[in-house]
Amino acid sequence: MLTFEQLLGFLPAAILITASPGPDSLMVLGMGISKGRKQGIAFGLGCALGCLSHTFLAVVGASALIAASPAVFTLLEVGGGLYLIFLGFNALRSTGNTKVEALQAADQTLSKLFFKGVFANAINPKVVLFFLSFLPQFVIPANGNVAWQMATLGLAFTVQAAVLFGLLGYFSGAIGQWFNTNPKAGVILDRIAGAVFLVLGLRLIVSL
């Protein structure tokens, strides 16, 4: 079972990573600026729900590896740690040229925007790799049922993403203007996220 201590360690990292400038968050901001708050919220909630598909793939993949061989699962953890370190270095090297622009899209219903957000997130292969690398960081095999722990963590990630993306959609105008008038904000958020990636990746590899 997932413990409170696991969740307490997981949520701050998940929130920071979700809040850092990325394709999903910038699209949510752009949608909110161009179409309005409701549209931005609908698209953002769709993006968040798309995380469930990545959670499912991560759980199935990890479960299959554990069933095949514990050693193979260890290789997944090593690969995940190296991938997080790679993401960390890229974030630290980022120039932070974050500019939020209104999306030039045809008028669509809220339901269509919601499913558009789900699809945009679900088809991103980089997010699959991220979930396979990120979720095992907070799994404790001694607590039993690794697949259930990963599924719970993935659900927690989805919930916090829904809250943050919903807020991004609602305050899209003000947040977008703030990013555009404070170019260093993206740099700072990238540096913080990069440091988190590096620490998580190194911690995973060193602890093996």
Side-chain angles (χ1 to χ4, degrees), residues 27 29-36 39 101-105 107 172:
M27 283 193 294
L29 287 174
M31 186 66 69
I33 291 172
S34 61
K35 299 301 177 183
Q39 288 76 6
E101 298 180 352
L103 297 180
Q104 301 301 318
D107 290 335
S172 53

Side-chain angles (χ1 to χ4, degrees), residues 110-133:
L110 295 181
S111 60
K112 286 184 177 180
L113 288 173
F114 173 80
F115 286 110
K116 185 176 181 179
V118 173
F119 184 72
N121 184 284
I123 64 172
N124 190 341
K126 292 184 179 179
V127 183
V128 179
L129 291 175
F130 171 74
F131 268 62
L132 277 170
S133 305

Side-chain angles (χ1 to χ4, degrees), residues 24 27-28 42-51 114 116-118 120-121 165:
D24 285 344
M27 283 193 294
V28 172
F43 184 80
L45 292 178
C47 287
L49 193 64
C51 293
F114 173 80
K116 185 176 181 179
V118 173
N121 184 284
F165 284 161

Side-chain angles (χ1 to χ4, degrees), residues 10 17 51-66 72-85 87 124-139 146-147 150-151 153-154 157 197 200-201 204:
F10 174 78
I17 291 167
C51 293
L52 291 179
S53 65
H54 303 301
T55 299
F56 174 77
L57 291 175
V59 170
V60 171
S63 299
L65 289 176
I66 293 172
V72 176
F73 183 69
T74 299
L75 289 177
L76 169 65
E77 292 183 303
V78 172
L82 292 175
Y83 181 65
L84 290 176
I85 291 172
L87 293 178
N124 190 341
K126 292 184 179 179
V127 183
V128 179
L129 291 175
F130 171 74
F131 268 62
L132 277 170
S133 305
F134 185 63
L135 296 185
Q137 292 276 340
F138 302 90
V139 170
V146 171
M150 289 186 64
L153 290 170
F157 190 98
F197 282 136
L200 290 176
L204 180 60

